[in-house]
Amino acid sequence: QVQLVESGGGLVQAGGSLRLSCVASRSTFRDSHMGWFRQVPGKEREFVAAISWNGASTVYTDSAKGRFTISRDNAKNTVYLQMNSLKPEDTAIYYCAVCYRLPPRVIDVGSWGQGTPVTVSS
């Protein structure tokens, strides 16, 4: 199974930016749709953004549109999430995921990373 390792999370003030990275352990990453989800304690894990295997298509949840950008570099087995204009409500643990369809639901995910925390102060 593909192993995913996220990085780039941290503490940032409202209005600031962060770039999350996710590195896959196997070259099969190249053939897979990829996505980002986030979760707050006590709430359901929710979809944030996803990108098709070749990078031709992207999809975002409404709250991320215009602020977040998902991209990938298949040569590096890496997917990114650039987050701008961050808001306190973006605070969550962010998870990288291998997805079987777009837009992905939680049940459409084949592999999860361990997560990287993002905290946005008000």
Side-chain angles (χ1 to χ4, degrees):
Q1 184 170 302
V2 175
Q3 286 188 271
L4 306 171
V5 180
E6 304 98 330
S7 63
L11 174 64
V12 65
Q13 291 188 359
S17 299
L18 286 172
R19 189 182 74 158
L20 307 184
S21 298
C22 172
V23 180
S25 64
R26 302 190 184 194
S27 61
T28 51
F29 165 90
R30 176 171 46 84
D31 302 322
S32 301
H33 305 320
M34 300 296 297
W36 289 94
F37 290 71
R38 65 188 178 191
Q39 188 168 29
V40 176
K43 294 187 176 182
E44 297 179 356
R45 188 167 297 189
E46 67 173 354
F47 164 73
V48 178
I51 187 168
S52 61
W53 71 272
N54 60 358
S57 300
T58 58
V59 61
Y60 300 89
T61 193
D62 286 345
S63 65
K65 292 177 182 176
R67 299 189 299 127
F68 294 3
T69 302
I70 188 170
S71 61
R72 67 190 298 161
D73 185 341
N74 285 352
K76 297 181 178 179
N77 290 347
T78 302
V79 62
Y80 306 95
L81 184 67
Q82 178 67 46
M83 304 187 293
N84 299 326
S85 301
L86 284 162
K87 304 174 181 179
E89 48 264 48
D90 295 317
T91 296
I93 297 176
Y94 284 71
Y95 297 90
C96 181
V98 175
C99 307
Y100 295 136
R101 76 178 191 183
L102 300 180
R105 303 161 296 175
V106 169
I107 60 173
D108 299 316
V109 172
S111 299
W112 296 100
Q114 290 295 112
T116 185
V118 171
T119 302
V120 184
S121 62
S122 60

